[in-house]
C-alpha cells in the first residue's frame, strides 16, 4: 500500500534563505499524524508544497503514491487552512455546494453529502444562515465541513481547534476518530500539544526546516516514566529494596521521585516497599508529556 504522504530531501528556499531543509517524512495511510514545531520551523511551507500551492526547490514529495503535481490526486485531499477567509455572503449550504462543485462531485451525491458533513461538524440546522453571521468557531466548523465534504483519502488540518471552546475541541477529536475509522489519513498541524497527544498515532517534530524527532507517541514518551512514591518514612531498608527496581531522582521528606524502566515495574515497586517494612501511602506514575518532550527537543536544538 502506498504511503499517504512521502517526502525525500524536500527543500524550499525563499530569497536565498531555506524555509524547509532536507525534510523526510513518511505518513502511513489511515493514521492520524501530528506535524509539530515552533513558529518559523517550516510547517506551513511544507503544507503548501504538499498541496501544490508552492513548488519545492529540491527533493521529492508524493501524496497517495502520486507526485504532488497530479491534479487527480488533489481531488482526494481535503484541507482546512489556519487563516481561513471564506465567502461570507454565502450561506453555509451554498458554500459547501460551491466547494463540492470545485471537487467535481456529482449533484446528487453532493446534495446527500452536505447534510452529513454539517451533522459531523455540529452545524446541522445552521446551513441557511450566511457565513458572515457565523461566530469564528462556527466558521471553523464550516471549514471542517468543506475539508471532509468529498470523502477525501487524506485530510490536512492546520490548527483545526484554534477558535473552538473545550466542547468544540472534543467534537473535533471525535470527528478525527470518525475519519480514522473510515480509513482516512489525517495530517494535523497544531500548537495545542495536549490535543495532539490525545489524538495522534505518530508525530514528527520539526525545527529549522528539518525533522528532529519522529515516531509513535507511546514509544517516544514511554522511556521517560517517573513515579511519585509517598511513604510514612524513608529508611535504608527502603532504599535497598528499591535499588534494583528504580532510580531515586529526588527525595523530599516522605516523598520520593523515581525513574522507572516501564509501567510493568510498578507492582514490583509497591511490593518492595511493603516488604521493606514501610507503609505505602501512594505510588503515582508520571509520564513525560508531549509538551515536555517538545520543549526539551526545541531548546536543546537551539542551544
Amino acid at each position: 500500500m502506498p504511503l499517504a504522504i512521502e517526502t525525500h530531501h524536500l527543500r524550499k528556499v525563499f530569497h536565498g534563505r531555506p524555509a524547509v531543509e532536507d525534510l523526510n517524512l513518511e505518513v502511513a495511510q489511515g493514521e492520524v499524524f501530528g506535524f509539530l514545531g515552533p513558529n518559523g520551523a517550516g510547517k506551513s511551507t511544507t503544507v503548501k508544497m504538499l498541496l501544490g500551492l508552492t513548488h519545492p526547490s529540491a527533493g521529492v514529495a508524493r501524496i497517495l503514491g502520486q507526485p504532488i503535481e497530479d491534479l487527480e490526486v488533489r481531488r482526494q485531499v481535503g484541507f482546512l487552512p489556519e487563516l481561513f477567509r471564506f465567502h461570507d455572503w454565502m450561506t453555509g449550504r451554498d458554500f459547501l455546494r460551491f466547494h463540492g462543485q470545485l471537487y467535481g462531485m456529482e449533484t446528487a451525491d453532493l446534495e446527500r453529502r452536505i447534510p452529513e458533513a454539517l451533522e459531523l461538524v455540529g452545524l446541522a440546522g445552521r446551513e441557511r444562515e450566511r457565513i458572515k453571521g457565523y461566530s469564528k468557531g462556527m466558521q471553523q466548523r464550516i471549514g471542517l465541513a468543506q475539508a471532509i465534504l468529498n470523502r477525501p483519502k487524506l485530510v490536512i488540518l492546520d490548527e483545526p481547534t484554534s477558535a473552538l471552546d473545550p466542547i468544540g475541541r472534543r467534537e473535533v477529536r471525535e470527528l478525527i476518530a470518525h475519519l480514522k475509522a473510515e480509513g482516512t489519513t489525517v495530517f494535523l498541524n497544531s500548537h495545542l500539544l495536549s490535543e495532539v497527544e490525545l489524538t495522534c498515532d505518530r508525530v514528527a517534530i520539526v525545527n529549522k526546516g528539518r525533522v528532529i524527532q519522529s515516531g509513535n507517541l507511546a514509544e517516544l514518551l514511554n522511556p521517560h516514566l517517573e513515579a511519585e512514591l509517598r511513604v510514612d518514612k524513608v529508611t535504608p531498608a527502603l532504599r535497598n529494596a528499591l535499588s534494583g527496581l528504580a532510580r531515586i531522582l529526588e527525595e523530599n521528606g516522605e516523598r520520593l521521585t523515581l525513574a522507572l524502566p516501564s509501567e510493568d515495574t510498578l507492582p514490583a515497586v509497591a511490593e518492595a516497599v511493603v516488604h521493606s517494612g514501610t507503609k505505602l501511602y501512594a505510588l503515582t506514575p508520571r509520564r513525560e508529556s508531549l509538551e515536555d518532550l517538545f520543549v526539551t527537543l526545541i531548546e536543546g536544538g537551539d542551544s
Side-chain angles (χ1 to χ4, degrees):
M1 180 182 292
L3 295 167
I5 295 175
E6 181 181 5
T7 73
H8 297 282
H9 308 294
L10 198 63
R11 191 168 191 259
K12 180 63 181 180
V13 178
F14 292 107
H15 307 295
R17 184 174 180 177
V20 173
E21 184 72 67
D22 197 32
L23 189 79
N24 297 287
L25 279 179
E26 288 190 352
V27 179
Q29 289 196 24
E31 74 175 337
V32 182
F33 191 91
F35 193 52
L36 316 175
N39 291 331
K43 303 188 304 299
S44 294
T45 301
T46 299
V47 168
K48 287 178 181 178
M49 284 190 284
L50 293 176
L51 292 168
L53 300 176
T54 189
H55 297 291
S57 302
V60 175
R62 293 185 177 89
I63 288 180
L64 302 172
Q66 301 300 318
I68 53 177
E69 298 82 11
D70 189 310
L71 292 178
E72 285 305 311
V73 82
R74 290 190 203 173
R75 294 182 186 274
Q76 302 176 57
V77 179
F79 175 52
L80 172 68
E82 177 184 8
L83 301 175
F84 45 80
R85 295 290 185 272
F86 298 143
H87 312 82
D88 62 1
W89 64 90
M90 290 184 172
T91 65
R93 174 177 286 277
D94 289 342
F95 173 74
L96 293 182
R97 187 178 289 119
F98 171 66
H99 277 268
Q101 292 168 351
L102 291 177
Y103 283 127
M105 297 177 68
E106 297 290 337
T107 300
D109 181 38
L110 177 57
E111 292 306 314
R112 285 192 301 268
R113 181 58 176 167
I114 286 175
E116 293 175 358
L118 288 166
E119 181 70 31
L120 284 170
V121 302
L123 280 181
R126 310 298 294 270
E127 63 271 17
R128 298 185 184 279
E129 300 175 26
R130 295 187 186 276
I131 292 176
K132 65 181 177 182
Y134 283 4
S135 67
K136 188 173 182 181
M138 290 173 65
Q139 289 184 24
Q140 194 151 33
R141 289 170 186 266
I142 200 68
L144 282 166
Q146 68 80 25
I148 64 172
L149 183 65
N150 61 325
R151 302 180 186 86
K153 293 183 178 179
L154 168 65
V155 178
I156 298 176
L157 303 178
D158 197 354
E159 300 291 347
T161 60
S162 60
L164 301 178
D165 59 20
I167 294 175
R169 290 199 293 270
R170 184 181 63 186
E171 290 173 348
V172 170
R173 289 199 301 270
E174 292 171 350
L175 172 61
I176 290 173
H178 172 83
L179 292 171
K180 180 182 176 181
E182 291 190 331
T184 306
T185 307
V186 180
F187 188 80
L188 175 64
N189 175 24
S190 177
H191 284 101
L192 295 174
L193 299 186
S194 59
E195 292 293 313
V196 171
E197 195 167 352
L198 288 169
T199 305
C200 294
D201 303 308
R202 293 196 306 129
V203 300
I205 299 175
V206 296
N207 194 23
K208 299 177 181 177
R210 298 176 184 268
V211 175
I212 58 174
Q213 186 70 276
S214 65
N216 182 284
L217 263 177
E219 294 172 354
L220 290 177
L221 302 179
N222 187 57
H224 307 283
L225 179 65
E226 297 179 1
E228 184 177 282
L229 174 65
R230 186 164 65 89
V231 295
D232 64 330
K233 58 184 175 180
V234 177
T235 64
L238 174 62
R239 292 193 182 92
N240 183 61
L242 294 173
S243 61
L245 297 170
R247 182 164 53 92
I248 298 175
L249 298 176
E250 184 179 344
E251 183 175 333
N252 183 13
E254 291 75 39
R255 296 175 184 270
L256 297 175
T257 301
L258 308 176
L260 306 176
S262 71
E263 278 188 338
D264 295 337
T265 314
L266 288 168
V269 168
E271 186 176 354
V273 172
V274 174
H275 285 173
S276 72
T278 306
K279 291 181 180 179
L280 174 61
Y281 292 142
L283 179 59
T284 309
R286 189 174 63 196
R287 193 181 303 280
E288 182 181 47
S289 69
L290 180 58
E291 182 175 335
D292 294 331
L293 177 63
F294 179 89
V295 170
T296 299
L297 289 171
I298 298 302
E299 290 184 345
D302 289 340
S303 60

